[in-house]
Amino acid sequence: MSSTAPYDAFVFHRSYFCGKMLAYLRYKQVPFNAIYKPLSEVGGEIARNTGLRQMPAIRMADGTWLQDTTPMLDWFEARHPDPPIMSGDPVVDFLMRLLEDYADEWLWRPAILSRWEADADGSMYKTLFVKEFLGGFWAWAPPLTWLAGNLVKKHQSDKFLSGDGLTKDNRDYVWSIYTNTLNRLEAIFQKQPFLLGDRPCLADFGFFASMFWHFSNDPTPSRIMQEQAPGVYEWVARMWNMTAEKAAGAAFLPTDGTVPTGWGPLLADACDAYLPYLHTNARALEAGEVRFDLKVQGHVFPKVHVSPYRTWCRERLQNALSELSQTDQDRVQAILEPLGGWRPLTADAHIRSDWDPEGVAPICRPRELSLRYRLLAPFTGTNHVRTRRA
């Protein structure tokens, strides 16, 4: 870390995606400055340059800004290719992309549930979130911090829990997404250090996102991980401590266009739950809806928010599939179809999200902030300046 490093990474110490990005940069030994500052200090600058008041965001020495970890990993891979996080096997690499996306977006539900619903976790984060993330006005005095903490907890619940389809009837199912994933990963890590052998692959970084600063650190899921999946707990530390230098000579397991050992249950979860969700969400967006009812794995989520971003996630997976040879597409179909994932991935063709219409992600464009945004953001924690990437 030094002032001459080519990248400034704006990060929040408790963030799902900040941990993922930092682990990747550490692994690749890319020189960068980690900037841990609350949104009250850096939110305006991030928003002006990316359009979103959220972290992680990376500022390059030439003033270019990057945001969104999945395309950022692709961007950095092109510039720092060794050691690669892709196997070079087109079929396995597509499955990797599917698992990375699944881990990023579907594990979000139990991560938010565990952080804000459990008493010990929610009580802790009402204070930590305000002081470390919001800062500014709200951190001036304990009464303000208390008030802001309760407002934040209500906001998280209204938007991401009860406000996004969580009910008493599906709550246990959402928890099971976490515990089942622990079981899948534990079975793999009892036999090998990483998902594809002796060094991290793209899918490792996807699962690391939630498993690091959420599940392995928050009180309730951390206790569950330590008791139920000590191999996963160990893998989290191994991922954080892994570097390209340590990976010298380490190899991925041999791949031949088939499902790597242990990946079957993870792919089954993605095919049976996440891909149907992406398809239903994309159709709702195309129809101009704001919310939709979701049914996955026998559980109903009423009035789920329509997400243009996750329609874009589906577009990215479809684009990755279309770039494969016909032979490799047929192999992917042969793997996903029995698991129920082929139809929701390919049905209704490419439904456009218009999230990144110019195809420039993760590069961002500067934005002019409205007076309303500048006045209200410090008090509301507002993230969005725009709904689409400029």
Side-chain angles (χ1 to χ4, degrees), residues 251-274:
F252 291 137
L253 295 173
T255 58
D256 56 0
T258 59
V259 177
T261 302
W263 287 27
L266 292 169
L267 288 170
D269 290 338
C271 288
D272 199 29
Y274 182 57

Side-chain angles (χ1 to χ4, degrees), residues 230-241:
V232 178
Y233 198 64
E234 181 183 29
W235 163 84
V236 169
R238 189 161 55 244
M239 281 287 292
W240 187 243
N241 194 40

Side-chain angles (χ1 to χ4, degrees), residues 99 102 107 173 176-192 195 207 211 228-229 232 261-270 272 297:
L99 287 183
Y102 164 76
L107 287 176
Y173 166 72
S176 76
I177 297 171
Y178 169 53
T179 55
N180 287 343
T181 301
L182 283 183
N183 291 337
R184 320 294 196 227
L185 295 175
E186 181 72 6
I188 296 172
F189 298 141
Q190 286 297 330
K191 297 177 181 178
Q192 62 198 48
L195 284 171
F207 284 102
M211 294 292 167
Q228 180 177 323
V232 178
T261 302
W263 287 27
L266 292 169
L267 288 170
D269 290 338
D272 199 29
Q297 296 183 317

Side-chain angles (χ1 to χ4, degrees), residues 306-327:
V306 171
S307 171
Y309 177 82
R310 288 180 180 148
T311 302
W312 185 59
C313 290
R314 183 173 185 261
E315 283 185 280
R316 283 176 54 86
L317 288 172
Q318 290 178 326
N319 290 338
L321 180 65
S322 69
E323 292 170 0
L324 301 181
S325 70
Q326 188 58 54
T327 298

Side-chain angles (χ1 to χ4, degrees), residues 116 126-127 130 134 137-155 379:
W116 293 105
K126 282 194 299 183
T127 299
V130 172
L134 293 182
F137 174 83
W138 296 111
W140 285 355
L144 290 174
T145 301
W146 177 87
L147 174 61
N150 282 282
L151 292 174
V152 165
K153 185 173 182 180
K154 184 177 187 305
H155 171 269
F379 302 98

